[in-house]
Amino acid sequence: MLILIKNANIIAPQSKYHNSKKDILIEDGIIKKIASKISSPKAKSINSKNLHVSIGWLDIGAVSGEPGYEHRETLESLSSTAAAGGYTGLAIFPNTDPIIDNKSSIRFVLNETEDHLVDYYPIASISKDCAGKELTEMMDLKKHGAIAYSDGTANITSNGLLLRALQYAKGDESVIMHNPNDPSTSNGNNIHEGIISTQLGLKGSPSLSEVLTLERDILLSKYAQSKLLVHNISAKESVEKIASQIDKNITASVSYLNLCLTDDALQSFDSNYKVSPPLRSEDDRQALTKGVNNGKVQIITSNHIPLEEEAKKKEIVYAEPGTIGLQTSFAGLITHNNKISLNRMVNCMAINPRKLLSLDIPQIAEGEKAELTIFDPQASWTFNEDTNQSKSRNSPFWNKTLSGKVIGVVNGDNHYFNTY
Amino acid sequence: MQDGRLSTRHLLGIKYITTQDIELIFSAAKQFKEVINRPIKKVPSLRDVTIANLFFENSTRTKLSFELAEKRLSADVVNFSSSSSSVKKGETLLDTVNNILSMKVDMIVMRHPAPGAHYFLSQHIDAQIINAGDGTHEHPTQALLDAYSMQEKVGNLRGKKICIFGDILHSRVALSNIFCLQKLGAKVRVCGPATLIPKHIDKLGVEVSYNLEESLRWCDVANVLRIQLERQDIKYIPSLREYSMYYGITKERLDKLDKEIVIMHPGPMNRGVEISSDVADSDHSIILQQVENGVAIRMAVLFLLAKDRNDLAA
């Protein structure tokens, strides 16, 4: 199979082709040639007016519906959604039913997705059943394919449990991931506590409830001298706290949605804007953007949480938090945040996640395996019934036209190109 | 009042209406107050209108007040009551309301425990909606009747000092009162223990005080709110005993003031907790006038919204 990517602006900070415009010829999953002009009549030709290429993107923290919630998302639909959104790798959270807390669950995910275009890196839970009580068999989980440990969307309130997890994971230099949130002060995480929540009469989640936990998590990580991903921060104060750290063990991520939107969107009581962590103020959004741009926040995530209509189409306090994000993360950022460069996005969505997980970083060079995302930041498309690849549709961008389109992905012998 | 039209199809909250709307409602209410004090209290204005009163949360006076207002305007009225828990477990709000609307109902008066429930509903159904209280968000007709009663007692509210005392955090009345009084030009303050005052309420342009005596000295009107024990999932105050000692409005405290202030309470009162009986029953208190004005205000709101509907139909 021959694929010819025409006139590609190559965004690959670690490659000699970085920022150059080239044709790329792929043969049987290998980058055969990179040159200013390549002619290959037999090849499938990929064109777009403002075509860009980077290494394939990798997301940390997407939630799969399968097993347990197949009506929300199957592993197959998750892969399609990820590929349509430009991802070739997924490190998925363990919040399924059953929870990914034993080797059978890990093997299930890996076996089911073996022939998928997208590479799966399951994250095993820290505690059994994500209940926050007992540690899982972390070493065994790692041996059978777990890439890291996290209770995902569940918060760990026990200091002792998180400390022991950090200490235990240190043995194999694995990463512990935790979303900082103190449930006893976050009031159900319906909305950021501020003027909007006050006007709407909703009990808000103060930035305090994130910072309280974030400070604890950093202290525990330092004590254990163990790797921690402070997953999906949302508050200005968190960025400041992270920025004051000089600790190679601590990495921070942010959900793309928190870089795009603010709590102002909740004026309409639309539960598609109810997410965890909550959308906060414009000040917070700007601080997060700054944190991404100065390298203090190293990873941008999709925070992909598929939910059925019944869980969302209700009064906001009863609706479950979460939105699907894999297919709209790039377009959302291009449309709603013009402060983050393509270079920075590729760093935060492809390179830094692999560095954190100690994965090899694909190279854009002749003779290398092709693991590429092809996109056009100026093309527009509409996210709707025709284009959506997920089984769910809980998105604030539903029926919205967005700038920034993923053209497709190549991962070795597998490739996928959007038809919209 | 025949020429006046509201700027909105629904009454979802004071936040969503204009000062002109408020003035229009007050002028209609004045005429309806006259009507309900006649020997024959009924007018035919809403003869062809069917109204469903949907109460997903307990209510006595608001429900009764709306029902009386509807009946005095000759509307056809149906009532539905359900506890929030049963709804949460079973049918969705949207399904419940759509079922009722299938029986050809024109307007909905609803009380619901979830903030924004009415706004949510207005995005999905065609009927006109009147908010009779949505959780800790708004209770617009209460704010309208409060402001109307204040005006009756102290005249134009521009520059008047109104203090809302008590459980601001769990109160929909407080928020609607703030929006309404500000639109009418009053200065608004809230006073209570810090755990019962939303942290960012000052950003709405209200003063915040934790000092009862000082706030009583400051204000022209004291609107005393009920301690909403049923809406407190955790304890925000150590005891009612302590609350009544430090934040209860008592005759002794009012006697220390060098002026007379107007005392209001949206009810139901916890006598001896936030307000003592001798204050509630005193000449300063306009609590029962509030209740009377409630019917007139609700008649005005129903009439003006239904008028909008008829105009559209024509």
Side-chain angles (χ1 to χ4, degrees):
Chain A
M1 173 78 192
L2 282 165
I3 297 169
L4 178 60
I5 304 167
K6 295 292 289 178
N7 275 325
N9 293 287
I10 299 173
I11 309 287
Q14 290 163 324
S15 156
K16 65 177 179 178
Y17 299 108
H18 182 46
N19 277 338
S20 64
K21 200 168 198 173
K22 301 284 181 194
D23 288 359
I24 301 172
L25 182 68
I26 299 159
E27 185 176 5
D28 297 332
I30 305 291
I31 299 174
K32 190 159 187 213
K33 194 173 176 189
I34 302 175
S36 295
K37 199 159 178 61
I38 302 172
S39 174
S40 176
K42 285 184 190 164
K44 177 182 171 67
S45 180
I46 307 299
N47 301 282
S48 191
K49 201 172 170 194
N50 194 20
L51 192 140
H52 286 65
V53 164
S54 73
I55 62 164
W57 304 338
L58 185 142
D59 185 62
I60 294 178
V63 172
S64 165
E66 188 176 359
Y69 306 100
E70 288 82 355
H71 57 292
R72 294 174 173 172
E73 201 84 280
T74 58
L75 287 162
E76 200 166 328
S77 69
L78 188 68
S79 292
S80 304
T81 308
Y87 293 92
T88 57
L90 289 179
I92 56 168
F93 268 166
N95 308 94
T96 46
D97 186 15
I99 296 281
I100 305 178
D101 63 0
N102 59 75
K103 69 177 180 184
S104 317
S105 297
I106 291 278
R107 290 314 311 169
F108 171 77
V109 171
L110 292 173
N111 291 339
E112 287 291 305
T113 59
E114 204 172 18
D115 58 352
H116 288 200
L117 179 151
V118 175
D119 297 323
Y120 276 73
Y121 305 99
I123 297 165
S125 71
I126 290 170
S127 67
K128 285 181 190 163
D129 218 18
C130 286
K133 297 269 196 293
E134 289 174 71
L135 287 182
T136 51
E137 293 174 334
M138 288 163 70
M139 288 187 197
D140 201 39
L141 285 159
K142 174 108 181 185
K143 186 183 163 196
H144 288 89
I147 190 90
Y149 310 102
S150 176
D151 275 2
T153 54
N155 300 114
I156 296 178
T157 52
S158 162
N159 306 334
L161 183 82
L162 188 58
L163 177 61
R164 288 189 290 281
L166 282 158
Q167 288 173 320
Y168 204 69
K170 195 179 157 187
D172 54 24
E173 296 208 328
S174 291
V175 185
I176 294 288
M177 304 172 174
H178 188 239
N179 169 233
N181 173 45
D182 168 35
S184 75
T185 53
S186 61
N187 290 319
N189 252 341
N190 288 304
I191 183 173
H192 167 62
E193 182 190 82
I195 183 162
I196 307 287
S197 68
T198 310
Q199 282 172 343
L200 300 180
L202 288 165
K203 272 189 187 171
S205 168
S207 300
L208 171 79
S209 66
E210 178 172 300
V211 181
L212 271 176
T213 315
L214 177 135
E215 295 212 4
R216 174 202 72 166
D217 293 359
I218 289 174
L219 282 172
L220 293 174
S221 157
K222 285 188 169 177
Y223 181 87
Q225 296 177 305
S226 183
K227 285 186 191 169
L228 171 72
L229 172 67
V230 182
H231 185 67
N232 286 358
I233 59 170
S234 63
K236 182 182 173 185
E237 293 85 344
S238 301
V239 182
E240 287 163 1
K241 186 71 197 168
I242 288 286
S244 70
Q245 304 299 313
I246 315 165
D247 190 331
K248 61 177 176 30
N249 280 329
I250 295 167
T251 308
S253 69
V254 58
S255 160
Y256 86 102
L257 209 57
N258 290 75
L259 296 166
C260 296
L261 304 173
T262 65
D263 59 347
D264 196 48
L266 281 145
Q267 296 266 20
S268 58
F269 291 98
D270 183 344
S271 66
N272 278 325
Y273 296 97
K274 179 174 171 178
V275 282
S276 181
L279 298 172
R280 296 196 189 272
S281 70
E282 179 59 20
D283 267 4
D284 294 300
R285 192 183 75 90
Q286 286 184 17
L288 291 164
T289 303
K290 199 173 154 195
V292 165
N293 281 332
N294 65 22
K296 299 295 183 186
V297 179
Q298 299 92 340
I299 293 170
I300 299 176
T301 70
S302 72
N303 203 9
H304 182 86
I305 298 178
L307 292 166
E308 67 278 17
E309 188 177 81
E310 293 77 11
K312 289 302 259 188
K313 196 175 175 181
K314 48 169 68 170
E315 304 88 307
I316 195 157
V317 289
Y318 304 145
E320 287 185 42
T323 62
I324 49 173
L326 279 169
Q327 207 179 335
T328 50
S329 52
F330 172 66
L333 286 169
I334 293 288
T335 309
H336 291 280
N337 192 325
N338 57 12
K339 295 266 163 60
I340 300 173
S341 67
L342 291 176
N343 220 353
R344 183 64 68 179
M345 276 185 216
V346 169
N347 267 308
C348 294
M349 292 163 71
I351 297 171
N352 293 342
R354 288 187 173 87
K355 279 187 185 165
L356 176 74
L357 299 174
S358 305
L359 292 168
D360 289 338
I361 297 170
Q363 300 298 319
I364 300 184
E366 289 175 1
E368 292 285 338
K369 177 193 160 193
E371 185 167 356
L372 304 171
T373 298
I374 304 142
F375 53 100
D376 184 338
Q378 282 170 356
S380 64
W381 62 292
T382 304
F383 187 49
N384 57 22
E385 204 65 70
D386 297 333
T387 53
N388 178 34
Q389 300 295 314
S390 171
K391 288 188 85 174
S392 293
R393 48 155 76 174
N394 52 310
S395 165
F397 299 125
W398 190 252
N399 281 332
K400 302 241 165 76
T401 298
L402 300 166
S403 299
K405 189 161 113 178
V406 170
I407 309 290
V409 285
V410 179
N411 190 5
D413 289 331
N414 293 310
H415 57 267
Y416 171 88
F417 295 101
N418 280 318
T419 51
Y420 51 83
Chain B
M1 105 185 163
Q2 291 301 316
D3 302 319
R5 290 180 62 125
L6 293 176
S7 67
T8 166
R9 266 195 85 224
H10 310 285
L11 181 62
L12 302 177
I14 301 291
K15 197 164 46 226
Y16 310 109
I17 63 173
T18 64
T19 307
Q20 288 71 31
D21 289 334
I22 297 173
E23 282 161 359
L24 184 63
I25 293 167
F26 284 3
S27 126
K30 196 174 172 193
Q31 297 185 38
F32 283 122
K33 191 168 176 185
E34 191 261 318
V35 168
I36 57 177
N37 279 293
R38 288 182 200 159
I40 296 168
K41 302 175 175 64
K42 208 161 170 162
V43 287
S45 313
L46 264 61
R47 212 175 34 204
D48 302 323
V49 179
T50 306
I51 302 174
N53 296 317
L54 313 180
F55 279 73
F56 294 93
E57 204 179 48
N58 289 336
S59 164
T60 309
R61 76 196 56 212
T62 304
K63 194 172 159 191
L64 210 59
S65 179
F66 264 111
E67 201 171 335
L68 271 175
E70 290 153 4
K71 287 182 169 164
R72 284 181 177 163
L73 290 167
S74 309
D76 291 324
V77 181
V78 287
N79 290 299
F80 171 91
S81 296
S82 169
S83 77
S84 59
S85 56
S86 69
V87 170
K88 253 198 280 186
K89 283 175 203 156
E91 199 172 41
T92 67
L93 173 64
L94 212 47
D95 284 340
T96 307
V97 173
N98 273 326
N99 271 287
I100 292 164
L101 289 178
S102 300
M103 302 177 214
K104 309 299 169 204
V105 167
D106 305 301
M107 291 173 91
I108 281 169
V109 173
M110 182 170 89
R111 168 165 289 189
H112 196 281
H118 301 73
Y119 195 103
F120 164 75
L121 211 54
S122 74
Q123 305 295 305
H124 294 100
I125 65 165
D126 287 332
Q128 289 180 287
I129 302 165
I130 297 173
N131 184 353
D134 59 334
T136 48
H137 181 216
E138 285 228 38
H139 190 356
T141 54
Q142 181 69 44
L144 289 166
L145 76 89
D146 284 348
Y148 184 80
S149 306
M150 284 180 214
Q151 273 197 4
E152 272 191 338
K153 188 77 180 174
V154 301
N156 192 321
L157 295 183
R158 186 155 296 279
K160 293 286 188 309
K161 294 173 178 170
I162 321 288
C163 187
I164 306 167
F165 290 92
D167 185 354
I168 314 297
L169 186 67
H170 297 93
S171 173
R172 48 191 165 222
V173 177
L175 213 50
S176 283
N177 255 267
I178 290 167
F179 295 139
C180 189
L181 294 168
Q182 285 181 335
K183 284 185 173 168
L184 295 171
K187 291 179 184 163
V188 186
R189 174 188 278 208
V190 294
C191 175
T195 47
L196 293 178
I197 294 188
K199 183 170 163 57
H200 299 277
I201 196 132
D202 56 321
K203 292 181 185 156
L204 301 183
V206 301
E207 287 185 29
V208 176
S209 168
Y210 310 115
N211 185 326
L212 180 78
E213 270 85 9
E214 196 271 321
S215 293
L216 284 172
R217 282 197 296 277
W218 176 84
C219 69
D220 301 311
V221 179
N223 197 356
V224 187
L225 299 185
R226 173 186 155 72
I227 288 286
Q228 301 268 4
L229 284 176
E230 70 277 17
R231 241 174 266 156
Q232 295 188 11
D233 40 6
I234 45 177
K235 275 199 140 188
Y236 289 83
I237 50 168
S239 69
L240 291 179
R241 174 184 165 274
E242 176 157 292
Y243 185 83
S244 70
M245 280 166 66
Y246 292 91
Y247 285 98
I249 311 280
T250 58
K251 185 167 183 303
E252 196 188 349
R253 286 192 164 119
L254 294 185
D255 285 345
K256 282 189 198 153
L257 304 176
D258 55 4
K259 60 175 182 180
E260 280 196 3
I261 62 169
V262 179
I263 303 291
M264 305 178 71
H265 193 300
M269 288 184 278
N270 297 306
R271 283 177 184 260
V273 182
E274 69 266 3
I275 190 165
S276 66
S277 283
D278 46 10
V279 172
D281 302 331
S282 73
D283 292 341
H284 305 307
S285 154
I286 57 165
I287 294 170
L288 292 177
Q289 285 95 309
Q290 285 175 265
V291 180
E292 181 188 346
N293 288 335
V295 179
I297 283 286
R298 289 177 178 120
M299 285 173 82
V301 167
L302 290 160
F303 171 78
L304 290 166
L305 287 177
K307 187 160 160 278
D308 180 52
R309 173 183 159 273
N310 290 334
D311 288 355
L312 284 176

